[in-house]
Amino acid sequence: MDQKIAVAKTDSFTNYPQQPHGGKLVDRVLRGKEREEELIRAKELPTIMVDLEAVITLEMIATGVLSPNEGFMNEADYKSVLYEGRLKNGVVWPVPLSFAPIGNRNKEVVASLSVGDEVALADETKEPVAILKIEDLFSYNKEERAAQLFGTTDRNHPGVDSIFRRMGDVALGGPITLLRRVDWGPFEKIRLEPKDTWRIFYEEKKFRSVGGFITGANPLHRGHEYIHKNALETVDGLLVQPLVEMAKREYTRNEFRMLSYRSVLDTYYPKERVSLAPLRVTYIFAGPRETVLHALIMKNFGCTHALIGRDHAGVGDYYDKYASHSIFDQFSPEELGINIQLYHEVFYCTRCSNHATEKTCSHDDRFRLKISGTGIREMLRHGVMPPKEVVRPESSRIAMQGIQPKGLDEDQRSISPVGKTIKSMFPFYLEATRLGGTYRRENLTTEELTMRDLEAATMDVRLNADRIYQDIYEEYTYIGDANRDIQRQWVTEAREALRQQQEMVVEDLEEKVKQAPETASDEFLYQDKEESQRELEVAQKILEDIPSALRADKIEYRVWNPLPYNRYRGSDEPEEK
């Protein structure tokens, strides 16, 4: 049957500063009478049962999120994407879109199909979700797929495990049509599809540039905010898309994570320039390849810029620290069609008194608070709100309610060892006596750290994170202010008192030295002249170490002018008195 599918062509976007990937924004969602007719017809077709992950993928394809793909890949495109990171026609595409059903009943249906057939895809309700028109059926090698896509065949890698656990032996390729969109529950009211964002950005708001930001399992933290606000200095708008659905159970539950985003965006961001929309996608765990996919998804939502953090889409230690950055060296800006903005790891430097990266801060770990998504989750799991420099309280308070599981198990263990959490958030604690303090004689190890250490480090940060720069600033202003009326008089008085007291000590010791015998009659009771002299020298050095007390009359020398002010104003006439 020749189905009438609406596909937005390139010329629909000629007046926009961006174009959909591949030149068209796919729309394979059936509507109205045609949808009603196809729903009836679908029930007469062979049926394959699909899980939630497949339903999400179907919806992504049909609504244009994965443009220019109109369905699941045939073998030629599959091989090209797997080995070259491109479709057969040369268009950049980093991950294969494959449909290989599992289950005995599904296998029987697949065995009965041929090229040209149509098959209904039904969800757990057994109601049709989509129709797939088969253009190719092919077998593939699972180990080959894992090795090329993930760089490993280790089953501990969640993406590799997913291949062997939830993919069958035969892949079906061909275009799909969506019969039924799934209700997103609490996210439905803020749901945005590509057709919506293009309209909002470029027709309603008249933006000329938009930065896209896709984020995973963590509540909004200050590292995210640093990237967002840096971008907002150069782009007109920002689209923030937290991933929802396929998150691990130990992550912050999606509903609470979205609410934490809304709380911070409503309070600290320019509302007219920022859009928040959940992104219901399937996790691939493909590291750098998935980063490229996310950049293209942002492009299909109309974004002109993709904001990429340090470990975007990373998983464990399978990829290099900045693999999600270097992957973009493989593609030219023209073929990607979106401006890639790469950001290094963000931390809070208490010495700088601001958020920074390695590119902008020279201070060491003694002064740094790291922003680790895993560390944040583990602090929340223990019932501890992270420092405000790491996560704003509007975010962490809500996110804590959504973290599962909470606390410790019956053996007093958590998901992650507490020492690992401390190291990921408070690296200073292992090597310094306190935040910004002196180095320990011997570094602590993560294995010996306990919950008490996490509490101690947290309290140290809460009390001192904003004091370090404040104390330094106060020292500079005390010495630097020529106008002493704005200085703390009690500091001056304390320094004067210190000096007077120490001068008394020196004066008395000078008398003591004069009277001290050359040799003490009993060294345990009396001091000889040599020992008394050493005591005096120490007291004199302490007197020298006491900082000066500055009053206005002591620094009059700082305020001087070679000419009267009227001469500086340009007048040669003597100033009237």
Side-chain angles (χ1 to χ4, degrees):
M1 177 179 177
D2 184 18
Q3 298 174 3
K4 299 177 181 177
I5 306 300
V7 179
K9 299 299 183 182
T10 306
D11 56 8
S12 302
F13 302 90
T14 52
N15 295 323
Y16 295 158
Q18 181 56 291
Q19 302 292 312
H21 192 54
K24 63 181 179 183
L25 186 64
V26 171
D27 181 358
R28 300 191 69 85
V29 181
L30 290 182
R31 301 171 179 86
K33 183 179 179 181
E34 185 179 17
R35 172 181 173 273
E36 294 174 6
E37 293 173 350
E38 289 300 286
L39 274 169
I40 295 172
R41 193 174 73 87
K43 294 181 179 181
E44 304 300 321
L45 295 173
T47 299
I48 292 177
M49 303 301 296
V50 296
D51 59 13
L52 176 61
E53 192 165 350
V55 170
I56 292 173
T57 302
L58 289 167
E59 196 166 271
M60 291 167 65
I61 294 170
T63 57
V65 175
L66 303 179
S67 296
N69 296 282
E70 299 183 36
F72 296 108
M73 292 178 178
N74 58 34
E75 186 173 16
D77 278 330
Y78 170 82
K79 289 280 189 180
S80 181
V81 167
L82 200 60
Y83 282 92
E84 306 297 332
R86 304 167 186 276
L87 297 169
K88 193 67 176 176
N89 61 11
V91 172
V92 173
W93 197 263
V95 296
L97 290 176
S98 302
F99 178 53
I102 60 171
N104 293 333
R105 174 59 184 150
N106 283 343
K107 287 181 180 178
E108 291 177 9
V109 175
V110 170
S112 70
L113 297 174
S114 303
V115 172
D117 289 344
E118 291 180 303
V119 61
L121 309 180
D123 64 10
E124 60 183 6
T125 68
K126 299 185 179 180
E127 291 296 316
V129 173
I131 294 175
L132 168 64
K133 184 177 179 60
I134 298 173
E135 293 183 346
D136 198 3
L137 296 99
F138 61 95
S139 299
Y140 64 97
N141 184 300
K142 293 182 180 180
E143 289 196 353
E144 175 190 38
R145 179 186 178 98
Q148 291 301 316
L149 183 56
F150 301 112
T152 179
T153 57
D154 181 3
R155 286 291 296 267
N156 291 316
H157 186 296
V160 174
D161 181 63
S162 180
I163 291 176
F164 289 92
R165 180 172 45 83
R166 56 177 309 278
M167 293 189 71
D169 299 319
V170 178
L172 284 62
I176 62 99
T177 54
L178 193 71
L179 304 176
R180 181 161 52 89
R181 294 168 68 222
V182 177
D183 187 286
W184 287 16
F187 306 133
E188 188 67 31
K189 58 182 175 292
I190 55 173
R191 172 179 182 168
L192 292 175
E193 294 178 356
K195 61 180 176 59
D196 303 316
T197 54
W198 287 89
R199 184 191 72 254
I200 292 169
F201 298 153
Y202 301 120
E203 295 179 17
E204 296 178 7
K205 296 192 174 185
K206 308 298 182 184
F207 288 159
R208 300 306 298 168
S209 57
V210 178
F213 186 82
I214 293 176
T215 181
N218 304 310
L220 192 153
H221 55 61
R222 300 297 293 275
H224 296 149
E225 187 175 331
Y226 175 90
I227 293 173
H228 297 164
K229 293 189 174 179
N230 269 273
L232 281 170
E233 293 291 344
T234 58
V235 298
D236 295 337
L238 175 69
L239 175 63
V240 179
Q241 295 183 291
L243 300 178
V244 297
E245 277 307 338
M246 308 299 292
K248 293 182 179 179
R249 285 188 61 84
E250 68 265 26
Y251 292 168
T252 307
R253 304 309 300 163
N254 296 314
E255 300 81 5
F256 292 94
R257 190 158 47 84
M258 284 296 299
L259 290 169
S260 80
Y261 267 80
R262 290 177 62 184
S263 297
V264 175
L265 295 181
D266 287 347
T267 309
Y268 297 101
Y269 284 58
K271 296 180 180 62
E272 70 283 357
R273 297 178 59 201
V274 180
S275 298
L276 173 68
L279 183 59
R280 203 166 186 250
V281 305
T282 54
Y283 281 92
I284 304 173
F285 300 104
R289 281 204 184 211
E290 192 163 4
T291 304
V292 178
L293 174 65
H294 286 173
L296 299 181
I297 288 175
M298 296 178 214
K299 179 182 179 183
N300 283 329
F301 274 92
C303 298
T304 56
H305 295 65
L307 314 180
I308 307 295
R310 174 188 68 84
D311 192 30
H312 190 103
V315 52
D317 297 320
Y318 288 98
Y319 307 110
D320 178 70
K321 183 177 180 180
Y322 284 103
S324 289
H325 287 189
S326 58
I327 184 73
F328 289 102
D329 295 337
Q330 300 177 20
F331 309 102
S332 70
E334 292 75 20
E335 59 187 351
L336 285 173
I338 186 168
N339 190 316
I340 305 298
Q341 300 287 307
L342 304 175
Y343 292 87
H344 280 62
E345 182 179 11
V346 181
F347 51 81
Y348 183 83
C349 176
T350 57
R351 179 63 184 86
C352 293
S353 192
N354 58 33
H355 292 88
T357 71
E358 295 283 358
K359 298 181 73 174
T360 57
C361 171
S362 62
H363 301 113
D364 59 34
D365 278 351
R366 287 181 304 147
F367 295 98
R368 290 180 181 177
L369 307 180
K370 294 296 183 69
I371 303 177
S372 159
T374 302
I376 291 168
R377 292 199 304 271
E378 291 307 305
M379 288 191 71
L380 295 174
R381 197 182 311 287
H382 288 298
V384 178
M385 288 176 61
K388 64 184 184 303
E389 294 81 7
V390 173
V391 186
R392 291 198 184 271
E394 292 88 346
S395 177
S396 58
R397 188 193 70 82
I398 293 177
M400 185 184 290
Q401 299 173 56
I403 195 75
Q404 293 291 341
K406 299 179 188 293
L408 307 173
D409 64 13
E410 62 275 9
D411 297 319
Q412 297 302 297
R413 296 176 303 178
S414 184
I415 297 292
S416 177
V418 70
K420 185 177 179 181
T421 300
I422 294 172
K423 183 178 180 181
S424 70
M425 299 285 287
F426 310 125
F428 72 87
Y429 192 82
L430 280 77
E431 61 182 36
T433 56
R434 59 181 297 177
L435 180 61
T438 56
Y439 288 107
R440 297 182 186 273
R441 293 183 178 179
E442 186 174 338
N443 287 357
L444 301 177
T445 63
T446 57
E447 291 76 19
E448 65 185 294
L449 299 179
T450 68
M451 189 62 195
R452 301 287 81 82
D453 293 292
L454 177 60
E455 293 168 356
T458 301
M459 290 305 297
D460 185 1
V461 170
R462 287 184 180 181
L463 291 172
N464 298 307
D466 50 8
R467 280 191 58 190
I468 291 176
Y469 188 73
Q470 180 64 26
D471 287 353
I472 292 169
Y473 175 71
E474 289 181 355
E475 281 297 302
Y476 272 82
T477 61
Y478 186 84
I479 300 298
D481 279 340
N483 182 343
R484 304 314 290 179
D485 291 341
I486 62 173
Q487 265 304 321
R488 298 154 293 157
Q489 184 65 18
W490 62 87
V491 175
T492 299
E493 293 172 354
R495 291 186 180 188
E496 288 176 339
L498 278 167
R499 181 166 289 278
Q500 290 170 3
Q501 293 160 7
Q502 192 62 20
E503 286 173 346
M504 288 193 300
V505 173
V506 170
E507 184 178 342
D508 278 15
L509 289 179
E510 287 174 340
E511 290 298 320
K512 179 179 177 179
V513 169
K514 290 178 183 179
Q515 298 176 12
E518 293 295 334
T519 303
S521 58
D522 187 332
E523 62 179 319
F524 294 105
L525 293 177
Y526 307 108
Q527 293 176 298
D528 59 22
K529 187 178 289 290
E530 182 181 355
E531 185 177 343
S532 298
Q533 182 63 40
R534 287 202 305 271
E535 199 171 49
L536 171 60
E537 290 170 357
V538 170
Q540 289 171 330
K541 187 68 174 69
I542 291 174
L543 178 60
E544 293 173 9
D545 289 341
I546 295 173
S548 298
L550 299 179
R551 291 187 180 274
D553 58 351
K554 292 186 66 174
I555 59 172
E556 288 180 348
Y557 68 90
R558 298 185 187 180
V559 182
W560 59 278
N561 297 297
L563 296 172
Y565 261 40
N566 67 315
R567 296 293 302 278
Y568 286 103
R569 298 189 188 104
S571 172
D572 290 328
E573 298 297 325
E575 190 170 9
E576 293 184 6
K577 295 183 179 180

